[in-house]
Amino acid sequence: MSKSIRWPAAAALLAALVVSGCASTGAYSYKKDEEAYILSDIVPLRKSGQNQKALALLQSRFNDKCGTGTPLGKQAFGVAFKNTDRADMYNACGLLNAHIAQLLHETGDYKRAVPALLQALRDEMYPQGWKYDRLECSRLNYYGWIYEAKLTTVPLHQALYESMDRSGSADAKRFMHKSYLCRLDEHMQPEQAAAVSSDFVAQARKHLGEAGAAEAQKYTQLIPGPARDSAQRIMMRRYSEKSITELQMRAQLATLYANALKAVQKNNLNAPVEKDPSPIVEHWTGKVEEANKSVKLFADS
């Protein structure tokens, strides 16, 4: 089940502004040039259904400006271009690649989409480094985003998993959980939550057998629904009722996530995936870490 998204959450937008603010003037300028090109030459083609033409133009421009000799998905452009005459091109090349990745996924060219999406993932995370299953979901939603384009895309985590799964990639099982855990974190209607939960169980069965399906089923029954409802109530108290402060809201969310992590551990929802630690435990550990950082950041400001 696909969930299309249009506008970035405030946290994702803030992160983008912080990153762009730290970029050099040259990097910002190069990226703005590519944004202008995409808006003028690519977006009209995409909106009129001429995706293959848009893809061909993007690929040609990308090859001219961004070829590294290293296969896509192996390292961020910021790493590949470091100490070269293209050091300021990393944001621009990341943007071009992100739109190529979107189009490859949308047109069903899943095998080619996988390395482009992995590249987009690495570029989204540069220069911080990352543990995939601990990442904030907001950092896995929006890629190649241009405000004026108003394009509708699925989240990066979803496009990546779907492309891996549909192309038969052996890595699909390692990226499956995060996509569904992120989707199940979001506030949604009960029927939509039921559909996402059912799909999660089916995909877990496909990749991890009956034991994986049983864990996914248990997780969907115990954890995300109560967590979503509680988070929604906390945010309503802050933004609608205005009965708590910003710091109180952040602290309450941090406590909520910590309790959810305890529930995950108490119910033994901790099966590793091959050599990787439990993606469910990692997901909630990451949420707790980011929430605690948020509380400290706001308290110190």
Side-chain angles (χ1 to χ4, degrees):
M1 182 176 186
S2 295
K3 182 183 188 306
S4 295
I5 53 178
R6 220 178 250 277
W7 308 111
L13 179 57
L14 178 61
L17 290 172
V18 169
V19 171
S20 64
C22 295
S24 70
T25 303
Y28 178 79
S29 176
Y30 286 131
K31 185 179 181 183
K32 294 302 291 184
D33 288 345
E34 298 313 312
E35 286 182 359
Y37 168 74
I38 290 169
L39 285 169
S40 65
D41 289 40
I42 303 301
V43 170
L45 292 174
R46 292 183 67 172
K47 290 188 174 181
S48 63
Q50 300 180 72
N51 286 340
Q52 291 299 335
K53 184 175 181 180
L55 185 57
L57 289 173
L58 279 168
Q59 192 67 66
S60 176
R61 191 173 180 94
F62 177 85
N63 291 343
D64 288 344
K65 292 174 175 284
C66 305
T68 66
T70 300
L72 286 176
K74 300 299 183 182
Q75 58 182 351
F77 287 118
V79 176
F81 294 161
K82 189 174 183 179
N83 298 324
T84 73
D85 58 0
R86 291 189 293 175
D88 284 341
M89 282 293 292
Y90 69 94
N91 274 335
C93 290
L95 183 67
L96 289 171
N97 174 73
H99 281 262
I100 291 170
Q102 289 175 7
L103 280 164
L104 289 171
H105 174 260
E106 289 171 16
T107 58
D109 195 345
Y110 299 119
K111 189 170 184 179
R112 288 177 62 206
V114 169
L117 287 161
L118 283 171
Q119 184 67 43
L121 177 60
R122 290 191 177 277
D123 292 330
E124 284 295 313
M125 296 316 304
Y126 177 78
Q128 294 91 344
W130 50 277
K131 292 183 178 179
Y132 182 68
D133 286 310
R134 290 197 184 189
L135 288 181
E136 279 188 283
C137 293
S138 63
R139 300 175 75 177
L140 293 170
N141 280 343
Y142 305 94
Y143 65 116
W145 181 72
I146 304 173
Y147 176 81
E148 298 87 348
K150 296 179 173 60
L151 294 169
T152 300
T153 64
V154 301
L156 175 55
H157 59 74
Q158 184 175 343
L160 179 58
Y161 170 64
E162 287 178 352
S163 296
M164 286 182 165
D165 179 55
R166 294 171 185 176
S167 65
S169 170
D171 287 331
K173 68 180 67 174
R174 295 182 56 245
F175 287 82
M176 174 193 67
H177 281 82
K178 190 64 175 180
S179 184
Y180 285 99
L181 297 176
C182 285
R183 279 179 263 179
L184 287 167
D185 279 353
E186 297 179 6
H187 182 69
M188 63 185 101
Q189 296 300 315
E191 61 274 15
Q192 186 181 9
V196 175
S197 296
S198 177
D199 196 22
F200 180 27
V201 173
Q203 293 298 307
R205 178 175 289 109
K206 175 180 177 180
H207 291 290
L208 302 171
E210 289 304 320
E215 183 184 61
Q217 182 73 55
K218 188 176 181 181
Y219 175 82
T220 61
Q221 291 171 343
L222 294 177
I223 307 298
R228 282 196 307 270
D229 292 343
S230 295
Q232 185 74 3
R233 284 194 296 271
I234 291 169
M235 287 187 281
M236 285 183 66
R237 286 199 290 269
R238 172 68 183 109
Y239 296 116
S240 298
E241 302 167 11
K242 302 188 185 304
S243 59
I244 60 175
T245 66
E246 181 74 17
L247 181 57
Q248 287 172 325
M249 181 194 74
R250 295 181 186 217
Q252 288 178 22
L253 287 172
T255 299
L256 169 64
Y257 299 156
N259 288 337
L261 177 58
K262 289 177 183 176
V264 163
Q265 294 165 328
K266 179 181 177 181
N267 287 283
N268 297 315
L269 296 167
N270 54 8
V273 175
E274 296 183 335
K275 295 180 180 179
D276 295 331
S278 164
I280 296 175
V281 172
E282 289 289 285
H283 175 74
W284 284 99
T285 299
K287 287 175 74 70
V288 170
E289 289 175 347
E290 291 301 324
N292 287 336
K293 287 179 188 176
S294 174
V295 170
K296 187 177 186 306
L297 181 66
F298 195 82
D300 292 345
S301 63

